[in-house]
mmCIF file with all atom_site columns, all heavy atoms in Angstrom:
data_model
loop_
_atom_site.group_PDB
_atom_site.id
_atom_site.type_symbol
_atom_site.label_atom_id
_atom_site.label_alt_id
_atom_site.label_comp_id
_atom_site.label_asym_id
_atom_site.label_entity_id
_atom_site.label_seq_id
_atom_site.pdbx_PDB_ins_code
_atom_site.Cartn_x
_atom_site.Cartn_y
_atom_site.Cartn_z
_atom_site.occupancy
_atom_site.B_iso_or_equiv
_atom_site.pdbx_formal_charge
_atom_site.auth_seq_id
_atom_site.auth_comp_id
_atom_site.auth_asym_id
_atom_site.auth_atom_id
_atom_site.pdbx_PDB_model_num
ATOM 1  N N   . ASP A 1 57 ? 57.500 -56.288 32.435 1.00 0.00 ? 128 ASP A N   1
ATOM 2  C CA  . ASP A 1 57 ? 56.198 -56.854 32.781 1.00 0.00 ? 128 ASP A CA  1
ATOM 3  C C   . ASP A 1 57 ? 55.165 -56.215 31.854 1.00 0.00 ? 128 ASP A C   1
ATOM 4  O O   . ASP A 1 57 ? 54.686 -55.111 32.125 1.00 0.00 ? 128 ASP A O   1
ATOM 5  C CB  . ASP A 1 57 ? 55.862 -56.557 34.245 1.00 0.00 ? 128 ASP A CB  1
ATOM 6  C CG  . ASP A 1 57 ? 54.516 -57.105 34.679 1.00 0.00 ? 128 ASP A CG  1
ATOM 7  O OD1 . ASP A 1 57 ? 53.893 -57.870 33.904 1.00 0.00 ? 128 ASP A OD1 1
ATOM 8  O OD2 . ASP A 1 57 ? 54.090 -56.790 35.803 1.00 0.00 ? 128 ASP A OD2 1
ATOM 9  N N   . PRO A 1 58 ? 54.808 -56.885 30.737 1.00 0.00 ? 129 PRO A N   1
ATOM 10 C CA  . PRO A 1 58 ? 53.891 -56.285 29.760 1.00 0.00 ? 129 PRO A CA  1
ATOM 11 C C   . PRO A 1 58 ? 52.536 -55.873 30.338 1.00 0.00 ? 129 PRO A C   1
ATOM 12 O O   . PRO A 1 58 ? 51.875 -55.010 29.794 1.00 0.00 ? 129 PRO A O   1
ATOM 13 C CB  . PRO A 1 58 ? 53.715 -57.400 28.721 1.00 0.00 ? 129 PRO A CB  1
ATOM 14 C CG  . PRO A 1 58 ? 54.954 -58.218 28.827 1.00 0.00 ? 129 PRO A CG  1
ATOM 15 C CD  . PRO A 1 58 ? 55.313 -58.184 30.293 1.00 0.00 ? 129 PRO A CD  1
ATOM 16 N N   . GLY A 1 59 ? 52.157 -56.433 31.472 1.00 0.00 ? 130 GLY A N   1
ATOM 17 C CA  . GLY A 1 59 ? 50.900 -56.038 32.108 1.00 0.00 ? 130 GLY A CA  1
ATOM 18 C C   . GLY A 1 59 ? 50.989 -54.713 32.841 1.00 0.00 ? 130 GLY A C   1
ATOM 19 O O   . GLY A 1 59 ? 49.983 -54.059 33.086 1.00 0.00 ? 130 GLY A O   1
ATOM 20 N N   . HIS A 1 60 ? 52.205 -54.327 33.207 1.00 0.00 ? 131 HIS A N   1
ATOM 21 C CA  . HIS A 1 60 ? 52.426 -53.082 33.958 1.00 0.00 ? 131 HIS A CA  1
ATOM 22 C C   . HIS A 1 60 ? 53.625 -52.348 33.374 1.00 0.00 ? 131 HIS A C   1
ATOM 23 O O   . HIS A 1 60 ? 54.737 -52.417 33.905 1.00 0.00 ? 131 HIS A O   1
ATOM 24 C CB  . HIS A 1 60 ? 52.650 -53.388 35.442 1.00 0.00 ? 131 HIS A CB  1
ATOM 25 C CG  . HIS A 1 60 ? 51.514 -54.105 36.079 1.00 0.00 ? 131 HIS A CG  1
ATOM 26 N ND1 . HIS A 1 60 ? 50.337 -53.469 36.417 1.00 0.00 ? 131 HIS A ND1 1
ATOM 27 C CD2 . HIS A 1 60 ? 51.346 -55.408 36.403 1.00 0.00 ? 131 HIS A CD2 1
ATOM 28 C CE1 . HIS A 1 60 ? 49.509 -54.348 36.936 1.00 0.00 ? 131 HIS A CE1 1
ATOM 29 N NE2 . HIS A 1 60 ? 50.092 -55.551 36.941 1.00 0.00 ? 131 HIS A NE2 1
ATOM 30 N N   . VAL A 1 61 ? 53.403 -51.625 32.304 1.00 0.00 ? 132 VAL A N   1
ATOM 31 C CA  . VAL A 1 61 ? 54.473 -50.901 31.614 1.00 0.00 ? 132 VAL A CA  1
ATOM 32 C C   . VAL A 1 61 ? 54.766 -49.615 32.381 1.00 0.00 ? 132 VAL A C   1
ATOM 33 O O   . VAL A 1 61 ? 53.853 -48.854 32.715 1.00 0.00 ? 132 VAL A O   1
ATOM 34 C CB  . VAL A 1 61 ? 54.067 -50.591 30.156 1.00 0.00 ? 132 VAL A CB  1
ATOM 35 C CG1 . VAL A 1 61 ? 55.197 -49.917 29.421 1.00 0.00 ? 132 VAL A CG1 1
ATOM 36 C CG2 . VAL A 1 61 ? 53.654 -51.864 29.437 1.00 0.00 ? 132 VAL A CG2 1
ATOM 37 N N   . THR A 1 62 ? 56.046 -49.364 32.655 1.00 0.00 ? 133 THR A N   1
ATOM 38 C CA  . THR A 1 62 ? 56.417 -48.159 33.396 1.00 0.00 ? 133 THR A CA  1
ATOM 39 C C   . THR A 1 62 ? 56.395 -46.933 32.482 1.00 0.00 ? 133 THR A C   1
ATOM 40 O O   . THR A 1 62 ? 56.364 -47.056 31.248 1.00 0.00 ? 133 THR A O   1
ATOM 41 C CB  . THR A 1 62 ? 57.843 -48.298 33.989 1.00 0.00 ? 133 THR A CB  1
ATOM 42 O OG1 . THR A 1 62 ? 58.787 -48.339 32.921 1.00 0.00 ? 133 THR A OG1 1
ATOM 43 C CG2 . THR A 1 62 ? 57.967 -49.549 34.855 1.00 0.00 ? 133 THR A CG2 1
#
Side-chain angles (χ1 to χ4, degrees):
D128 180 9
H131 301 284
V132 183
T133 67

